[in-house]
Amino acid sequence: MTLKHDANTERNRTDRPPAPPSAASGSRHNVALDCGWGRLIFASTFANARDLARTLEHEEEGRRDVAFYVTEPHVVLARAPLTLFLDPSHTLRLTLDAFASPAAFDQIRPACADSNDEAEINRIYAARGMVPLHDGFLAGLSGTAVTLLVAIDAVNEHICGVVMGIDHVAAFGDPKNGSSLWALAVDPQAQAPCLGQQLTVALAAEFQARGRSFMDLSVLCDNEEAITLYRKLGFVQVPVFCMKKKNPINEKLFVGETPEDQLNIYAQIIVDEARRRGIAVEIEDAAAGIFRLVLGGRSIACRESLSDLTSAVALSRCDDKALTRRLLSAAGLRVADQLVVTSDEDVRNFFGKYGRVVVKPAQGEQGRGVQVDLRSLTEVRESIKAARKLCDKVLIEQFVAGEDLRIIVIDGAVVAGAVRKPAMIVGDGIRTIADLIGSQSRRRAAATRGESRIPLDAETERCVRARGYEMGDILPAGEGLAVRKTANLHTGGTIHDETANLHPELRQAAEKAAAVLDIPVVGFDFLVPDVGGADYVIIEANERPGLANHEPQPTAERFIDLLFPQTRGARRH
């Protein structure tokens, strides 16, 4: 992409809110532009509030229309007070006259209609809870009103970020010579830093090259991190507003704060789905993720995805990893060889047999105390000592190479399957490995509301040294480095949906394992050479899997189906 500045373009003043265009301006009227996720309705092109309100009310089901540049929202609301609401967002503006154009961005390009770009963009939008582009949107684009830029991951060459730009001159002959930014999203699993900033700057440079005077955007008033970034780039607030129609997509924006807002993401996704179906929610302890769901005479207590429907015996079958393995093995399912540590001689013999092993406490969760791919007796013995601090019973297990696959089974059926990858950083040739880990950890925490972070502990240092580096070394630009061996999300790992690609035998094995453990909701950790193949080894079972990790798969919907089957008609999937 070549970014340039046209110094000869005449610009209009941009320090006051847009006014309705005059007939002499050559602009169009009552403009509602299809943006794939809904219509962008330019309020400044409407002559009266009645027509604007009616246009908003005619939103298609499953879409999200936005009326932008509303200068008198109270007048529009008076026309349809029961169906419309004032979006709690600020409008920020970047004046492009003074914008310093950066160099070309090699990792950012326009989206292509003749590739898999639309599916990849929608994957990111779904992961962020945003409305996807409708089928064929990219293929149907014509003219220059809508621009979609995508960022490409330097390591795997997949799309890891997207932003949409609207050229107001092309859209409606804007006499103010403006443009705007919409639907910016970065893959929550992305490892490259500052993608949102890079996409914003690249779009601004694109519009500057076209000679536009400014670029506007709308950002939620409580998104302090984004607002700080935009102000750093030179955006300032302008006094215009957005309006939307009340619908399930926008519900959180107009119902106000709820007592569930302090729940973690794993509890929140379930509570949101329950409330959407009219099920009452009683919070018992937000910090622990414990709540009660009530509908009619049925009341069920939950701790995230663990509910009253899971018996204490079923929970104990999962909680003791050695017991889990024995039960699954007895049922003919493939599991890794394992030994309960009782003597140093047994440890030496087991290690001598395999050469690469895993050490973990027999009880525990979230990857605590688990050390993977140990290749020396010294490491094994140190890991056993560390694991014993968490649990008296320690296991040594055969190391099995392959993809770390989490499969979710709810009510006897596979609902989701995703490959988990260990925390990874990408070098920039400037910062140290320790600094890169800190930056990536902060991004993971922001993407998961604090649930995922990369620990700067002995295990992280061991993994870095195993690759020939020290924490103070500078990682070459573009080089990826896995800084953990385990792919646990709580230690900074990322997760990538593979549900559609699961081999039937993997599905059957997961469903059989759930039946063996007699548990209604469970997450199994598989190691597989290929998610599309039949080979597998089951490592362990999790009685309280994080359902929020598997969007866009309908894990929360199926969980509520299990708890309250009479509400299945109200679900979205």
Side-chain angles (χ1 to χ4, degrees), residues 13-280:
R13 288 183 55 83
T14 61
D15 55 354
R16 56 182 184 273
S22 65
S25 69
S27 58
R28 294 183 288 280
H29 301 280
N30 294 4
V31 175
L33 182 68
D34 178 18
C35 294
W37 36 260
R39 296 176 301 170
L40 182 57
I41 301 168
F42 290 95
S44 56
T45 68
F46 283 74
N48 58 70
R50 180 193 62 229
D51 290 346
L52 178 57
R54 286 178 178 174
T55 301
L56 264 175
E57 286 183 301
H58 284 89
E59 177 185 73
E60 291 185 19
E61 185 176 355
R63 301 287 96 190
R64 185 197 64 172
D65 289 351
V66 181
F68 197 38
Y69 296 130
V70 182
T71 56
E72 298 181 335
H74 54 294
V75 178
V76 182
L77 280 175
R79 294 290 181 177
L82 300 181
T83 57
L84 304 183
F85 72 98
L86 179 61
D87 186 54
S89 295
H90 295 314
T91 300
L92 303 183
R93 173 168 296 174
L94 178 66
T95 301
L96 297 178
D97 295 295
F99 178 66
S101 297
F105 294 93
D106 293 334
Q107 77 276 27
I108 295 177
R109 63 166 173 79
C112 301
D114 56 351
S115 66
N116 196 43
D117 283 9
E118 189 166 286
E120 283 290 289
I121 290 168
N122 283 341
R123 174 185 60 79
I124 294 173
Y125 282 159
R128 288 297 190 180
M130 298 167 66
V131 181
L133 304 175
H134 62 68
D135 289 345
F137 175 73
L138 289 181
L141 278 180
S142 60
T144 58
V146 180
T147 295
L148 268 170
L149 301 181
V150 294
I152 308 301
D153 190 300
V155 176
N156 59 30
E157 298 185 351
H158 291 167
I159 291 177
C160 56
V162 58
V163 67
M164 177 178 289
I166 307 299
D167 187 328
H168 297 178
V169 175
F172 64 95
D174 182 15
K176 302 291 290 183
N177 193 38
S179 61
S180 55
L181 176 156
W182 298 91
L184 172 65
V186 173
D187 189 337
Q189 318 301 343
Q191 282 131 7
C194 306
L195 286 174
Q197 176 177 328
Q198 290 182 44
L199 284 162
T200 300
V201 171
L203 187 64
E206 174 72 13
F207 284 133
Q208 185 186 57
R210 297 187 191 184
R212 299 296 160 255
S213 299
F214 60 87
M215 183 175 76
D216 289 348
L217 58 81
S218 179
V219 58
L220 283 174
C221 61
D222 60 357
N223 191 347
E224 296 178 3
E225 184 177 5
I227 292 173
T228 299
L229 168 63
Y230 292 136
R231 292 195 185 281
K232 180 180 177 182
L233 292 175
F235 284 84
V236 296
Q237 188 172 342
V238 293
V240 293
F241 306 95
C242 287
M243 293 188 66
K244 297 174 182 174
K245 181 181 179 181
K246 293 178 180 179
N247 62 30
I249 299 169
N250 296 321
E251 187 176 34
K252 283 190 173 183
L253 300 179
F254 60 81
V255 296
E257 294 185 0
T258 66
E260 299 90 44
D261 285 342
Q262 299 305 311
L263 293 170
N264 64 36
I265 58 174
Y266 305 112
Q268 191 71 56
I269 189 175
I270 296 169
V271 165
D272 287 346
E273 178 62 19
R275 291 181 68 246
R276 198 188 66 78
R277 299 193 194 187
I279 299 169

Side-chain angles (χ1 to χ4, degrees), residues 366-427:
Q366 299 181 353
R368 296 189 185 97
V370 179
Q371 297 208 34
V372 176
D373 197 12
L374 303 173
R375 304 189 186 196
S376 74
L377 269 174
T378 299
E379 286 183 323
V380 171
R381 287 168 178 148
E382 290 176 351
S383 299
I384 290 171
K385 289 179 183 178
R388 280 216 170 101
K389 294 178 181 178
L390 300 174
C391 179
D392 291 336
K393 185 177 179 181
V394 176
L395 307 176
I396 182 171
E397 187 174 85
Q398 166 195 7
F399 172 76
V400 180
E403 297 273 21
D404 187 328
L405 175 66
R406 168 62 66 88
I407 298 181
I408 303 294
V409 180
I410 299 177
D411 199 15
V414 169
V415 177
V419 168
R420 303 188 302 173
K421 296 184 181 295
M424 176 179 282
I425 58 173
V426 178

Side-chain angles (χ1 to χ4, degrees), residues 333-334 405 407 501-510 526-538:
L333 293 161
R334 297 195 286 276
L405 175 66
I407 298 181
N501 301 321
L502 291 179
H503 190 279
E505 190 160 332
L506 300 183
R507 291 176 174 269
Q508 293 167 12
F526 282 60
L527 285 173
V528 299
D530 178 12
V531 296
D535 291 341
Y536 72 88
V537 169
I538 300 177

